[in-house]
Amino acid sequence: MRRSGSAAYDAGRLDRMIWQATTAELGRAQSHMLLLGRATAYERVARFLLDIAARFRSELVSLPMSRQDMADYLGLTIETISRMLSRLQAEGLVEFVGARRYRICRPGALSGLAAA
C-alpha cells in the first residue's frame, strides 16, 4: 500500500513540475513577443545579452548562437545585429572577447536600456 501512495505523490509532484516549467516557458514567450513588438533593435540586443548572461551566471559569457541566429530570433537582420553589438561595445556597456564571448561592463546601464 505504501508504494501506491508514494507513486501518487511522485505523480502529483511531476504534474506540478511540468506545470511550473510550462508556465515559465509561456512567460518567456510572452516577454519575447512584447520585446519584438515594442523594443528598438538596440533594446532587443541589449535584452538578449542580459538574458543570456543571466542564464550562464558567469563573468565571461559565450553566445550560444551565431549572429544570423540572433537576427532570426530577434526579428532583425545580421547587419543590424552587428551594428548594435558594435555600438554596445563602443559605448562601454559590453566588451567582446572574440566573436562569441562577452562580458557586461555596465550592468545597470545595460538593464536600463533593455527595460526602455
Side-chain angles (χ1 to χ4, degrees):
M1 190 74 164
R2 193 162 214 202
R3 271 194 152 152
S4 65
S6 178
Y9 171 77
D10 288 345
R13 184 169 167 240
L14 180 60
D15 286 347
R16 281 190 302 282
M17 289 173 62
I18 290 171
W19 181 251
Q20 289 171 342
T22 301
T23 301
E25 189 57 37
L26 285 172
R28 278 192 290 275
Q30 182 180 23
S31 293
H32 186 67
M33 295 299 289
L34 289 172
L35 175 73
L36 293 178
R38 295 183 181 172
T40 66
Y42 196 51
E43 293 163 350
R44 290 181 204 184
V45 174
R47 176 84 263 151
F48 176 79
L49 293 178
L50 283 169
D51 288 346
I52 297 299
R55 289 183 189 165
F56 282 95
R57 297 181 188 172
S58 66
E59 183 183 339
L60 194 59
V61 182
S62 294
L63 285 171
M65 58 178 70
S66 69
R67 281 177 165 64
Q68 183 61 60
D69 291 336
M70 288 172 56
D72 293 342
Y73 180 73
L74 295 173
L76 302 168
T77 65
I78 190 170
E79 295 84 6
T80 300
I81 292 291
S82 293
R83 278 195 311 273
M84 296 303 105
L85 292 175
S86 294
R87 182 175 165 192
L88 288 166
Q89 182 162 313
E91 293 180 2
L93 299 175
V94 298
E95 175 188 10
F96 279 86
V97 181
R100 293 181 77 165
R101 292 172 23 134
Y102 69 96
R103 78 175 42 90
I104 296 175
C105 302
R106 295 176 40 213
L110 194 62
S111 292
L113 173 64

